[in-house]
């Protein structure tokens, strides 16, 4: 458990503190809170929100659009390793049923969210429809922790849940890129991002390895690693981020093309494994270097995004919660059962079909990514605030999960 608690204190504790401070501040002095959030760092800046012929860099933009790119880069690193490595967790038959369940964990919440919105009337539907992706998110860290509490560290359902959460993150990144552009689309700028990725990969990754073929000393690769270190990838990342901003895609995803170009280990031990700290490939070295900065970034993300007045609870709050607490378990159960039984893809040894319901409730903890999607799905105002409150309230899924585990008679399996 130490490794999991350690991860949570590293990545999530400061986020929670920031969110709690934001809630207190917004409900005691909303005017000063919103002034803080929209504090102008640099008017007529080269980056920031576009206002006609100029851009304005605010504190909110700095955190959500620029600094959160490092958080999404770490998420993308886990997804990339799960897909590309020979022993990657999202490869082969072992990932088939979890991937089907992931699809159910997407379509279920979307169906419940939009279906209930339609039931509430066309005015409500039109106001909230763009938030359909908010309840599709799963917070990896919190879900993993609650999964271990409910199932025990040695239960195969915990591994299943982690696969589902990583795949969920992968689809979530695609949804953000495709459905939530930050401005007018100018896709030609993506060629700049692609060029940056290709150049940094060829010149600083592929070419040194090519030149070192047959030479055990690997002088070229060693020179690049020793003297240039992460600098080429930082420069390429800056170029890619700027291109994403100009392209109209959300710039927080701007580092994703560069993650795939960084030299990586031949295997990964998993996001919560102690052995991961002993990997010294460039990709893991960069991730370890980003750990503490990302902690601070998540604190400010919580502080700048969770400041919602309790009076703003509305339709969007309940729709997000219904999507998560009803849509997730139902979708994961139906799609998981379909993969395991009619398609004969099977379940991991030691797992029952009914365990999918409990996994569904655990995966309903949206929090970090749900909060982020809510901030980009709606313009600032009452609907965005109501949706954010739904993302914050998704912590209730932790309590529901523990109850569901008792009702479904989950037998805890510790290592």
């Amino acid at each position: 458990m130490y490794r999991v608690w350690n991860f949570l204190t590293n990545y999530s504790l400061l986020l929670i503190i920031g969110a709690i401070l934001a809630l207190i501040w917004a409900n005691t002095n909303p005017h000063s809170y919103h002034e803080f959030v929209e504090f102008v760092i640099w008017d007529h800046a080269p980056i920031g929100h576009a206002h006609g012929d100029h851009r304005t860099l605010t504190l909110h933009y700095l955190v959500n659009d620029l600094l959160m790119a490092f958080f999404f880069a770490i998420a993308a690193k886990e997804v990339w390793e799960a897909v590309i490595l020979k022993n990657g967790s999202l490869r082969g038959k072992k990932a088939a049923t979890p991937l089907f369940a992931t699809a159910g964990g997407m379509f279920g919440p979307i169906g419940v969210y939009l279906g209930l919105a339609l039931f509430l009337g066309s005015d409500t539907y039109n106001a909230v429809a763009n938030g359909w992706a908010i309840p599709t998110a799963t917070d990896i860290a919190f879900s993993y922790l609650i999964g271990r509490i409910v199932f025990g560290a040695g239960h195969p359902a915990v591994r299943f849940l982690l696969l589902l959460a990583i795949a969920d993150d992968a689809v979530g990144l695609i949804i953000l890129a495709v459905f939530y552009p930050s401005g007018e689309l100018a896709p030609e700028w993506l060629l700049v991002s692609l060029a940056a990725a290709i150049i940094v990969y060829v010149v600083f990754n592929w070419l040194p390895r090519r030149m070192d073929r047959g030479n055990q000393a690997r002088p070229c690769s060693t020179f690049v690693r020793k003297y240039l270190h992460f600098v080429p990838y930082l420069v390429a990342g800056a170029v890619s981020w700027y291109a994403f901003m100009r392209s109209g895609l959300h710039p927080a995803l701007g580092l994703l093309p560069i993650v795939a170009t960084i030299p990586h280990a031949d295997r990964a031990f998993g996001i919560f494994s102690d052995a991961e700290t002993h990997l010294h490939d460039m990709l893991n070295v960069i991730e370890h270097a980003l750990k503490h900065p990302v902690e601070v970034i998540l604190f400010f993300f919580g502080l700048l995004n969770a400041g919602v007045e309790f009076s703003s609870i509305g339709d969007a709050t309940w729709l997000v919660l219904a999507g998560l607490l009803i849509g997730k378990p139902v979708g994961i159960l139906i799609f998981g059962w379909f993969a395991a039984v009619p398609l004969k893809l099977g379940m991991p040894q030691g797992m029952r079909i009914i365990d999918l319901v409990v996994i569904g409730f655990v995966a309903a903890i949206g929090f970090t990514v749900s909060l982020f999607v809510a901030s980009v799905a709606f313009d600032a105002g009452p609907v965005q605030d109501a949706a954010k409150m739904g993302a914050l309230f998704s912590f209730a899924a932790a309590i529901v999960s523990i109850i569901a585990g008792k009702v479904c008679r989950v037998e805890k399996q510790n290592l």
Side-chain angles (χ1 to χ4, degrees):
M1 265 313 262
Y2 169 75
R3 174 70 176 165
V4 188
W5 278 111
N6 192 37
F7 182 88
L8 278 168
T9 53
N10 285 343
Y11 286 99
S12 303
L13 197 58
L14 281 174
L15 171 64
I16 294 171
I17 292 169
I20 292 170
L21 286 175
L23 281 170
I24 295 169
W25 190 354
N27 283 280
T28 52
N29 194 338
H31 178 71
S32 68
Y33 174 77
H34 292 297
E35 273 195 339
F36 171 74
V37 171
E38 294 303 330
F39 176 78
V40 175
I41 298 170
W42 186 2
D43 202 6
H44 291 80
I47 63 172
H49 290 293
H51 298 290
D53 61 344
H54 75 284
R55 292 180 180 271
T56 303
L57 178 62
T58 62
L59 186 58
H60 185 266
Y61 186 94
L62 177 68
V63 172
N64 274 44
D65 295 60
L66 176 55
L67 297 180
M68 279 298 282
F70 293 106
F71 168 79
F72 284 110
I74 287 177
K77 180 254 185 190
E78 297 300 328
V79 172
W80 177 242
E81 288 187 331
V83 171
I84 200 70
L85 298 185
K86 188 176 180 180
N87 67 324
S89 56
L90 295 182
R91 291 179 62 142
K93 191 180 176 184
K94 64 185 175 184
T97 303
L99 288 175
F100 267 88
T102 301
M106 293 278 173
F107 293 123
I110 293 170
V112 169
Y113 181 92
L114 293 178
L116 287 177
L118 205 56
F119 177 76
L120 292 172
S122 58
D123 288 346
T124 301
Y125 180 85
N126 292 334
V128 303
N130 202 46
W132 58 269
I134 300 170
T136 64
T138 296
D139 191 296
I140 291 183
F142 286 109
S143 295
Y144 186 67
L145 173 68
I146 300 302
R148 286 178 65 128
I149 290 171
V150 173
F151 290 102
H155 201 291
V158 174
R159 177 79 176 164
F160 189 101
L161 174 68
L162 192 54
L163 294 187
L164 185 147
I166 291 172
D168 194 295
D169 260 18
V171 179
L173 293 172
I174 295 167
I175 286 173
L176 269 173
V178 175
F179 295 101
Y180 295 104
S182 61
E184 292 275 327
L185 286 177
E188 63 274 12
W189 275 95
L190 293 179
L191 296 175
V192 176
S193 177
L194 179 63
I198 291 172
I199 290 169
V200 78
Y201 173 74
V202 170
V203 177
F204 300 99
N205 185 347
W206 179 82
L207 190 59
R209 286 188 291 111
R210 176 89 177 177
M211 292 168 68
D212 284 340
R213 278 198 311 184
N215 188 340
Q216 291 291 329
R218 303 178 65 204
C220 298
S221 299
T222 303
F223 176 86
V224 169
R225 183 183 174 88
K226 188 174 179 181
Y227 294 103
L228 300 180
H229 201 49
F230 62 84
V231 173
Y233 302 100
L234 181 64
V235 172
V239 172
S240 180
W241 181 90
Y242 185 79
F244 263 64
M245 183 196 75
R246 295 300 299 267
S247 75
L249 294 185
H250 203 286
L253 305 177
L255 299 182
L256 268 55
I258 307 304
V259 170
T261 71
I262 302 172
H264 58 76
D266 294 331
R267 61 174 303 181
F269 295 96
I271 190 170
F272 298 110
S273 170
D274 283 313
E276 199 77 353
T277 58
H278 301 298
L279 292 174
H280 299 296
D281 57 286
M282 182 63 72
L283 189 55
N284 274 289
V285 167
I286 290 174
E287 184 190 29
H288 299 153
L290 285 175
K291 186 174 78 74
H292 293 302
V294 168
E295 292 169 30
V296 178
I297 290 165
L298 287 175
F299 167 78
F300 281 103
F301 174 75
L303 184 63
L304 293 171
N305 288 275
V308 183
E309 294 176 56
F310 289 112
S311 59
S312 65
I313 294 173
D315 290 338
T317 307
W318 309 120
L319 289 170
V320 169
L321 274 178
L324 285 164
L325 289 171
I326 299 170
K328 278 271 187 193
V330 171
I332 287 172
L333 173 64
I334 292 172
F335 277 65
W337 169 84
F338 182 75
V341 182
L343 294 183
K344 294 185 169 62
L345 293 171
M347 295 278 284
Q349 190 174 356
M351 254 190 81
R352 308 166 300 161
I353 294 291
I354 194 70
D355 291 334
L356 291 170
V357 177
V358 186
I359 286 174
F361 283 119
V362 177
I365 305 171
F367 197 50
T368 315
V369 181
S370 287
L371 203 55
F372 187 88
V373 177
S375 72
V376 300
F378 300 115
D379 293 329
V383 178
Q384 186 193 82
D385 289 348
K388 284 182 175 181
M389 195 60 87
L392 294 172
F393 283 170
S394 71
F395 268 126
I399 299 166
V400 177
S401 301
I402 293 169
I403 295 168
K406 300 289 185 188
V407 172
C408 296
R409 298 183 177 177
V410 168
E411 291 186 15
K412 291 182 73 169
Q413 297 177 24
N414 293 308
L415 292 171

